Amino acid sequence: MKKILFFGMLAAMLSSCGSKQQTASEDVVTREQLTFPIGDKIDNPAFTGDAYLKPLIAMDSVFNFPQTNVVTFAPGAHSSWHRHGGMVVMVTGGVGLYQEEGRPAQVLRKGDVLQIPAGVRHWHGATKDNWFSQVVIYDMSWRPETQTDEDNTLSDEYYNELTLEEYSHPTLIDSLMFAAPDSTLTLLTFNGPIRLANTVDAPNEAGAPGLHYVVFEPGVINAWHTHPGGQILIVTDGIGYHQIEGQPVEVLRPGDVVMCPPEVKHWHGASANSRFAHLAAGTNPDKPAVVWSDEILSKEEYDKLPKE
């Protein structure tokens, strides 16, 4: 066995532009085009329009990863003004809006990643003509020292008269969900080329470990390995596989979450006909990141995997 730290590469350079229009015709995204599950409708007067919640990861004592949900807004839907614990927002589809109190509203698009400090008053939602989906990771334990907001209403008039600015969007390649390098890496622990980027660094506002974006070319998988602190995978693109030693192979699609406990041997990678990508977090980061084995599936073993 050999120990190798799992590390990332910085994401692509960001570019920005200004806008006062909420949508453009090429931006329209329907509910069916969103790749992540939308979950159940939120029944809460703090939301205007149709919004949906899908829990992805629950905070527990094994992985110690902050609460993580998918929040989806139908066109024109939005939250009221509110405050909460530190949050990381990762946009998974559509076109949305985010505004911190005292700052212009910003347009968010697929691949955007932003951090909201604890206690900052803000709201978020969809643009008028687009669905909007985001993964949110946040600190559930935070509580305000005092309650200072008497009225959190965000009126229709306010929403309809917004002047908007584009967020600093990353450069996305080949329709991937998040920023990744143009060039691929060849590593001894993978049987082919991958792309690797840091999507969320640690420390961050949510108190989460770093999230690495790993893009496998079709047919590429990694070797068997363990994580002394455990690992969580959030599937973002394509179709892939995951297998824990002694258990059946799982076929993975966007929105699926893999929870691999500490010291459990597993492997993961792409199906034969699809590029595959996931966000990977080494949980309990005070422990070594990964311990690699020299074993990797043979071509014969790979060819027997379930077909996507």
Side-chain angles (χ1 to χ4, degrees), residues 52-129:
Y52 303 83
L53 176 68
K54 171 68 175 179
L56 280 188
I57 302 167
M59 179 69 172
D60 64 17
S61 60
V62 175
F63 296 94
N64 294 294
F65 192 89
Q67 179 70 36
T68 304
N69 302 324
V70 180
V71 182
T72 304
F73 294 90
H78 58 82
S79 73
S80 301
W81 291 97
H82 60 282
R83 306 174 193 266
H84 48 58
M87 176 178 281
V88 173
V89 175
M90 299 179 292
V91 180
T92 59
V95 186
L97 302 173
Y98 170 74
Q99 184 178 25
E100 292 184 7
E101 188 172 35
R103 296 186 178 184
Q106 294 182 300
V107 179
L108 303 180
R109 303 177 188 274
K110 185 178 78 170
D112 288 346
V113 178
L114 68 153
Q115 300 194 37
I116 306 173
V120 170
R121 193 167 186 250
H122 67 279
W123 67 272
H124 37 132
T127 56
K128 292 180 180 179
D129 301 319

Side-chain angles (χ1 to χ4, degrees), residues 142-147:
W142 179 85
R143 297 292 182 273
E145 294 182 2
T146 59
Q147 180 64 42

Side-chain angles (χ1 to χ4, degrees), residues 262-296:
E263 303 293 359
V264 171
K265 195 173 181 180
H266 71 146
W267 68 268
H268 37 108
S271 64
N273 300 313
S274 174
R275 177 180 281 158
F276 173 69
H278 59 55
L279 296 166
T283 53
N284 300 298
D286 56 315
K287 298 183 179 180
V290 63
V291 178
W292 289 102
S293 165
D294 291 323
E295 305 169 72
I296 194 165

Side-chain angles (χ1 to χ4, degrees), residues 91-301:
V91 180
T92 59
V95 186
L97 302 173
Y98 170 74
Q99 184 178 25
E100 292 184 7
E101 188 172 35
R103 296 186 178 184
Q106 294 182 300
V107 179
L108 303 180
R109 303 177 188 274
K110 185 178 78 170
D112 288 346
V113 178
L114 68 153
Q115 300 194 37
I116 306 173
V120 170
R121 193 167 186 250
H122 67 279
W123 67 272
H124 37 132
T127 56
K128 292 180 180 179
D129 301 319
N130 290 268
W131 283 81
F132 176 60
S133 174
Q134 57 184 356
V135 169
V136 297
I137 306 171
Y138 67 103
D139 176 10
M140 290 182 65
S141 65
W142 179 85
R143 297 292 182 273
E145 294 182 2
T146 59
Q147 180 64 42
T148 58
D149 304 324
E150 294 183 359
D151 184 5
N152 286 318
T153 302
L154 196 152
S155 68
D156 291 342
E157 180 181 12
Y158 182 92
Y159 175 85
N160 291 329
E161 295 181 359
L162 287 169
T163 296
L164 305 178
E165 294 183 355
E166 292 280 337
Y167 187 70
S168 294
H169 309 300
T171 300
L172 304 181
I173 61 171
D174 298 333
S175 299
L176 291 172
M177 184 167 286
F178 295 105
D182 290 328
S183 58
T184 60
L185 290 173
T186 301
L187 302 175
L188 294 177
T189 49
F190 294 75
N191 70 347
I194 64 167
R195 289 177 168 84
L196 189 59
N198 287 345
T199 299
V200 178
D201 291 318
N204 53 68
E205 296 293 346
L211 286 167
H212 309 293
Y213 188 46
V214 188
V215 183
F216 300 76
E217 295 302 307
V220 175
I221 62 173
N222 56 26
W224 289 94
H225 58 284
T226 62
H227 298 270
Q231 185 183 52
I232 293 176
L233 307 177
I234 302 174
V235 180
T236 57
D237 306 80
I239 302 173
Y241 300 118
H242 173 259
Q243 184 178 24
I244 289 176
E245 188 175 35
Q247 297 185 16
V249 173
E250 300 174 87
V251 178
L252 303 176
R253 292 176 172 80
D256 289 342
V257 175
V258 171
M259 312 283 286
C260 189
E263 303 293 359
V264 171
K265 195 173 181 180
H266 71 146
W267 68 268
H268 37 108
S271 64
N273 300 313
S274 174
R275 177 180 281 158
F276 173 69
H278 59 55
L279 296 166
T283 53
N284 300 298
D286 56 315
K287 298 183 179 180
V290 63
V291 178
W292 289 102
S293 165
D294 291 323
E295 305 169 72
I296 194 165
L297 293 188
S298 67
K299 183 180 185 306
E300 291 74 19
E301 291 172 316

Side-chain angles (χ1 to χ4, degrees), residues 8-73:
M9 304 178 76
L10 291 178
M13 296 296 292
L14 303 180
S15 62
S16 63
C17 60
S19 173
K20 290 189 178 182
Q21 296 182 352
Q22 285 211 15
T23 60
S25 59
E26 64 268 25
D27 294 328
V28 174
V29 175
T30 66
R31 173 175 171 167
E32 290 71 27
Q33 290 172 294
L34 296 175
T35 57
F36 269 49
I38 71 168
D40 297 324
K41 189 174 179 180
I42 299 172
D43 183 15
N44 189 319
F47 290 83
T48 297
D50 293 338
Y52 303 83
L53 176 68
K54 171 68 175 179
L56 280 188
I57 302 167
M59 179 69 172
D60 64 17
S61 60
V62 175
F63 296 94
N64 294 294
F65 192 89
Q67 179 70 36
T68 304
N69 302 324
V70 180
V71 182
T72 304
F73 294 90

